[in-house]
Amino acid sequence: MEGQIRQSLSGFYDVFSDGQLYRTRARGNFRKKRVTPLVGDRVEFESSTPKEGYILKILPRDNALTRPPVANIDQGVAVTAVKAPDFSTNLLDRQLVALEVSHIAPVIYLTKTDLIDDQRYQEFETLAAGYRQIGYPVILSREPFAAAGLDQLRDLLADQETVIMGQTGAGKSTLLNHISPDLTLATGEISTALNRGRHTTRKVSLMPVAGGLVADTPGFSSYDTLTIDYRELGQYFPEFLALASQCRFRGCVHVNEPGCAVKAALEAGDVLQSRYDNYLQLLTLLKNQKPVYNKKK
């Protein structure tokens, strides 16, 4: 039979096929080949009963993420707190780049706006406008979980497979509980001493939400180092990619080259300074990272 992995937990994979869930395990040859099934994978499997079966083959993936570990995702909602934990454009841009590299459409949802004053909120309004100009949907409301913002997100979730991602404590589970109250996902409090949250999500699963499927996944504080060539990084900043054809030199990396359209747009205020600064930091990391040999696929 063919189906889709909807949940993974402790080596078991729940596969959805023809309206029914089948609990399965991966065949031993997966381990020998160093292949790990992911939630969202389309698979071939055999099952004598709904409680016992084996995955035989993973069908070709459209994309995959390692953190969170999901596959065949249409879009990713980067849930980002404006405070507690402290807001970071660097972390947000890393999330966006990771999604772009995997060909997953990003959405930005800003949370905890009740914890900042009006002046700080206006700064986020300006920042949100900058990201919208790039082409990213940004959901930002003065009142946390305002109806208009939730309705906008519900529309985006319909008929899509979506991953909800972001730093621990940013409010991913709380957001999903507002979107679909019957989920009643466990939510955790922020540890003020460490400025980090406790992990509240124990498994990875795809859940029916707002007419689509949503993965609620363990939070994280940072991403693994990207494995792309540093000269390709500009392709994953859409506003840089749109300007690249106007640069004087083909293959311009937008740092020291004369006639660079990206730097001209930056000086004109048409490119966010924080985006360019984060690009430079990521570029330096990619240039300096050493190759990893015999890396597990």
Side-chain angles (χ1 to χ4, degrees):
M1 295 185 289
E2 288 191 9
Q4 181 190 46
I5 298 177
R6 291 286 178 89
Q7 178 173 289
S8 68
L9 179 66
S10 303
F12 290 95
Y13 302 94
D14 290 344
V15 178
F16 184 79
S17 179
D18 292 330
Q20 186 167 350
L21 278 176
Y22 296 85
R23 176 142 293 189
T24 68
R25 298 183 77 99
R27 283 286 193 198
N29 62 347
F30 282 92
R31 197 160 43 248
K32 293 176 184 175
K33 295 177 181 177
R34 295 187 175 183
V35 174
T36 303
L38 297 177
V39 168
D41 271 333
R42 295 178 288 268
V43 298
E44 292 179 2
F45 71 104
E46 62 180 9
S47 179
S48 54
T49 73
K51 294 183 181 292
E52 187 174 352
Y54 288 95
I55 294 174
L56 305 175
K57 180 181 179 181
I58 298 173
L59 300 178
R61 292 169 176 164
D62 297 329
N63 52 48
L65 291 172
T66 54
R67 298 181 70 182
V70 289
N72 301 317
I73 294 297
D74 298 309
Q75 64 186 354
V77 180
V79 179
T80 307
V82 298
K83 189 173 183 178
D86 292 337
F87 176 76
S88 165
T89 61
N90 189 277
L91 178 60
L92 176 59
D93 286 339
R94 281 175 179 245
Q95 292 173 353
L96 298 178
V97 169
L99 291 169
E100 294 281 2
V101 168
S102 297
H103 306 290
I104 297 172
V107 176
I108 301 169
Y109 195 109
L110 295 168
T111 62
K112 301 194 176 181
T113 47
D114 57 326
L115 301 182
I116 56 176
D117 60 26
D118 289 342
Q119 181 178 344
R120 182 66 172 144
Y121 179 78
Q122 286 302 316
E123 293 173 7
F124 278 101
E125 284 274 27
T126 302
L127 188 69
Y131 279 101
R132 291 188 186 111
Q133 189 172 345
I134 294 168
Y136 293 130
V138 181
I139 301 173
L140 172 67
S141 304
R142 189 65 185 98
E143 295 298 321
F145 309 113
L150 294 176
D151 287 344
Q152 183 182 350
L153 184 57
R154 287 189 187 97
D155 289 342
L156 289 167
L157 295 179
D159 301 318
Q160 299 288 302
E161 292 184 18
T162 303
V163 62
I164 306 291
M165 58 201 304
Q167 200 171 5
T168 303
K172 299 184 300 300
S173 295
T174 303
L175 173 59
L176 281 174
N177 284 336
H178 277 84
I179 289 286
S180 186
D182 55 316
L183 291 175
T184 59
L185 300 170
T187 56
E189 297 177 352
I190 292 295
S191 166
T192 54
L194 295 176
N195 196 31
R196 295 179 62 182
R198 296 191 300 269
H199 292 287
T200 56
T201 312
R202 301 299 182 188
K203 61 189 176 186
V204 180
S205 58
L206 278 175
M207 304 169 292
V209 176
L213 291 171
V214 170
D216 182 41
T217 56
F220 50 89
S221 298
S222 62
Y223 272 97
D224 294 331
T225 303
L226 292 168
T227 54
I228 59 174
D229 188 292
Y230 76 91
R231 288 162 292 197
E232 299 174 0
L233 181 61
Q235 299 175 23
Y236 304 110
F237 282 69
E239 68 275 41
F240 294 11
L241 182 61
L243 293 165
S245 62
Q246 302 172 34
C247 291
R248 184 184 303 175
F249 296 105
R250 187 177 179 181
C252 179
V253 294
H254 321 305
V255 181
N256 296 317
E257 301 91 336
C260 173
V262 170
K263 289 170 66 179
L266 178 67
E267 291 175 12
D270 296 328
V271 166
L272 289 172
Q273 184 68 51
S274 59
R275 287 276 286 175
Y276 185 73
D277 292 344
N278 294 333
Y279 168 80
L280 291 181
Q281 188 180 88
L282 267 175
L283 191 75
T284 301
L285 285 172
L286 291 172
K287 284 180 75 172
N288 293 337
Q289 73 181 9
K290 297 176 182 178
V292 179
Y293 299 103
N294 299 322
K295 185 176 181 181
K296 179 181 176 182
K297 289 187 178 181

